[in-house]
Amino acid sequence: MNIEQRLQTLGIELPEAAAPVASYRPVVVHGGLAHVSGQLPFIGGKLVTGRLGEDVSLEDGTAAARACGIMILAQLKNALGSLDRVESILKLGAFVSSAGSFTDQPKVANGASDLMFEVFGEAGRHARSAVGVPVLPLGVPVEVDAIVAIRQG
């Protein structure tokens, strides 16, 4: 089963790859790696905003991280032409906008991490960081970036 078929089986529809909001490239491919810039959470076509530990629940934060992961996949497909070129998800970086008392950043980041395993199986297991920050661009609760090993096309 190829990755497109796997996404259909999982009921995941990739959105259009989001345009950059500043001066950067969404994906840079170099030396067999794809570096995916931080992606923001869109659910139902709308940008998710808020802060964990204030006005965003753990469940909603995890869903937002999953949405970031879906946008990572959309960016990879746009840059590579096919997600079948993904050899392995090497690392995810999750930045979680959170109140000082919120300490479940790793649980929030699991939204993106679990998605990668669902889609790519063992090739989706990765190293990761999950960091709490006071604010993120456009007021989002989570932003996720990625480093991905790719097959030559």
Side-chain angles (χ1 to χ4, degrees):
M1 175 181 305
N2 70 27
I3 298 302
E4 295 294 327
Q5 292 168 328
R6 181 82 180 135
L7 290 172
Q8 285 182 333
T9 299
L10 293 168
I12 297 171
E13 186 175 330
L14 297 183
E16 289 293 319
V21 298
S23 296
Y24 62 88
R25 291 172 40 197
V27 179
V28 173
V29 175
H30 181 76
L33 298 176
H35 296 263
V36 184
S37 296
Q39 299 300 305
L40 305 182
F42 289 87
I43 297 178
K46 296 188 183 250
L47 188 66
V48 178
T49 60
R51 181 180 300 197
L52 277 292
E54 288 182 1
D55 55 355
V56 176
S57 69
L58 177 59
E59 180 179 84
D60 289 344
T62 303
R66 181 179 177 86
C68 292
I70 289 171
M71 189 58 73
I72 287 170
L73 297 179
Q75 294 290 3
L76 285 167
K77 181 178 178 185
N78 188 55
L80 302 175
S82 170
L83 290 175
D84 289 321
R85 288 191 57 202
V86 172
E87 184 177 322
S88 179
I89 305 298
L90 299 177
K91 184 169 187 212
L92 295 182
F95 303 90
V96 181
S97 177
S98 47
S101 61
F102 185 82
T103 59
D104 282 333
Q105 290 84 1
K107 290 180 182 176
V108 171
N110 283 345
S113 291
D114 293 347
L115 171 73
M116 296 305 164
F117 178 69
E118 289 173 30
V119 172
F120 297 106
E122 284 302 315
R125 295 218 187 265
H126 52 270
R128 186 183 81 188
S129 55
V131 180
V133 297
V135 66
L136 286 167
L138 306 177
V140 298
V142 62
E143 176 178 345
V144 182
D145 63 12
I147 301 172
V148 179
I150 58 171
R151 295 178 184 89
Q152 295 306 315

